[in-house]
Amino acid sequence: MKRIEALDMLRGYALVCIMLDHMPLGVIRNLTLSNFTVFDAAELFVLLSGFLVGMVWVKVEERQGRRAAQWRFLKRAFKVWQALVIGAVLLALFSHLLYQLKMNHTAVWFQYSRWIVENPFGYIATVALMWMQPNLLDVLALYVLLIATAPVTVPFLLRMPFTAMAVSLGIWWLSEPLNAMIPNQREGQGLLFNPFGWQLLFFTGVAIGAFRDKIMPVLRPRTGVLNGISISILLFGLAIIICWRIGEPAKPVADILKQVYGSIDKWSLDGLRYISILAATWMVAVPLAPAFGWMSRTVLGRDLAEIGRGGLWSFVSCVLLSMWGDALDMTAPAGLNGFLLRLAIDVWVILALWISAALWLRREEWLGRIRAKLPHWI
């Protein structure tokens, strides 16, 4: 199936934002998505993941049948689970190494570095059973559950789309009490990324990917109206962000805005974050599509697309690099020199993420060269 470069670019951008957002002292993190909208890269990552699932599922089912599509995504869920476990081990070991080198860091909880040494089998078992989800990797636990249910939920969505989305909306409405029923380490609070809330965004992405050829002819004649609604939603979100940044002087305005949206809860995916990412999706997919298509053909766009194509490898790499960048940031001095050093660290981790993804995508090529140079008896 032909790849869509702009989607790969956006996946790469989401991973870069996730990495930078977990470096509290970073400089470029002030320019990431969450500084301009009420949602962040997590929503972008999950929506794009759902879109790709819907798009791939339809193609596989057309060519090989439903069983092949179901089996493909069961295997994908297993791979995501593997990435969660391996990533959790690498995260804990790397955190332990940083502490051994006297490099403090706040991106992850310090206890992981202790547990992996004091009780490695217990640590691995609790992650593998998904009783515990280390922070920075917890979105993978959500992804495991969503992909694992796809063999049942996606056929339901394809057969009865309106009913399926109504059920999804109802589950989202009851997401908090449902999540509290999931047994795990958080004692009655469920998973941090509430799967009953976030499934709505994921399956919205699946529906867009699967039915885009039917949806767009209906929506395009209403482009002007939808552009106006989308821009209004995004400007409303930007006003909220600006009020948060200004602080106390903007409190009267912030209070008025809050009467409209109520509260914003990332972990259960509140309504404003949901409609805001959908508004942004419309803007990117329709009025701004030529601009994003052009960006995907630039050098930066192609590099971000390589990060996006790195998939789970890129995700785990971005987690480890965010820890390293966070630790390096904490060694920077105050003042202009510290600012410039933190900026250089930001640039370095972005480049390192791209190099990591590029090496992974070309692994057959360079591994082949290495094998060719080894003695035949090895």
Side-chain angles (χ1 to χ4, degrees), residues 51-275:
F51 179 85
L52 291 171
V53 167
M55 188 168 61
V56 171
W57 184 289
V58 170
K59 295 294 184 182
V60 173
E61 186 171 321
E62 285 178 355
R63 296 172 183 174
Q64 303 173 41
R66 176 161 295 177
R67 290 296 177 88
Q70 290 173 317
W71 181 239
R72 176 173 180 143
F73 283 99
L74 278 177
K75 291 191 291 185
R76 180 61 177 171
F78 179 69
K79 288 182 179 179
V80 177
W81 175 81
Q82 282 183 312
L84 171 64
V85 176
I86 294 170
V89 172
L90 293 175
L91 174 146
L93 289 174
F94 190 46
S95 179
H96 180 75
L97 174 62
L98 290 174
Y99 281 123
Q100 291 296 109
L101 296 174
K102 309 299 182 185
M103 298 183 70
N104 193 22
H105 51 283
T106 60
V108 298
W109 193 32
F110 71 94
Q111 286 287 6
Y112 304 139
S113 66
R114 293 183 178 178
W115 289 339
I116 194 65
V117 175
E118 296 172 358
N119 186 9
F121 294 109
Y123 175 82
I124 294 171
T126 55
V127 173
L129 294 171
M130 295 179 63
W131 180 262
M132 176 179 70
Q133 303 87 41
N135 61 299
L136 301 189
L137 289 169
D138 38 21
V139 71
L140 284 187
L142 167 71
Y143 198 33
V144 170
L145 296 175
L146 295 175
I147 296 293
T149 63
V152 175
T153 54
V154 174
F156 175 39
L157 176 63
L158 295 178
R159 186 171 62 252
M160 305 173 65
F162 294 105
T163 302
M165 291 309 299
V167 170
S168 180
L169 187 64
I171 292 172
W172 170 79
W173 187 262
L174 300 171
S175 61
E176 292 190 33
L178 289 173
N179 189 39
M181 296 169 64
I182 298 178
N184 75 338
Q185 70 172 97
R186 299 182 70 233
E187 299 181 354
Q189 298 180 62
L191 275 64
L192 184 62
F193 276 91
N194 185 339
F196 299 102
W198 282 76
Q199 56 78 31
L200 177 61
L201 180 61
F202 177 77
F203 289 115
T204 299
V206 174
I208 295 172
F211 297 112
R212 65 192 186 283
D213 293 337
K214 296 179 180 178
I215 293 173
M216 293 311 295
V218 175
L219 297 182
R220 281 193 181 278
R222 299 165 176 80
T223 294
V225 173
L226 291 172
N227 286 351
I229 293 172
S230 298
I231 291 171
S232 299
I233 292 171
L234 294 173
L235 287 176
F236 181 77
L238 180 60
I240 294 170
I241 296 295
I242 291 173
C243 287
W244 287 350
R245 287 299 184 92
I246 293 174
E248 188 62 30
K251 191 175 185 304
V253 178
D255 289 341
I256 294 172
L257 295 176
K258 194 169 184 178
Q259 291 179 9
V260 177
Y261 67 83
S263 62
I264 296 178
D265 176 19
K266 172 179 179 176
W267 310 116
S268 289
L269 186 64
D270 65 88
L272 181 57
R273 292 176 75 102
Y274 175 70
I275 65 170

Side-chain angles (χ1 to χ4, degrees), residues 22-67:
H22 289 97
M23 294 167 54
L25 299 178
V27 176
I28 303 180
R29 76 185 301 267
N30 294 308
L31 300 175
T32 59
L33 191 60
S34 59
N35 292 278
F36 307 101
T37 65
V38 294
F39 61 90
D40 60 27
E43 279 91 346
L44 178 58
F45 182 80
V46 171
L47 182 67
L48 288 174
S49 298
F51 179 85
L52 291 171
V53 167
M55 188 168 61
V56 171
W57 184 289
V58 170
K59 295 294 184 182
V60 173
E61 186 171 321
E62 285 178 355
R63 296 172 183 174
Q64 303 173 41
R66 176 161 295 177
R67 290 296 177 88

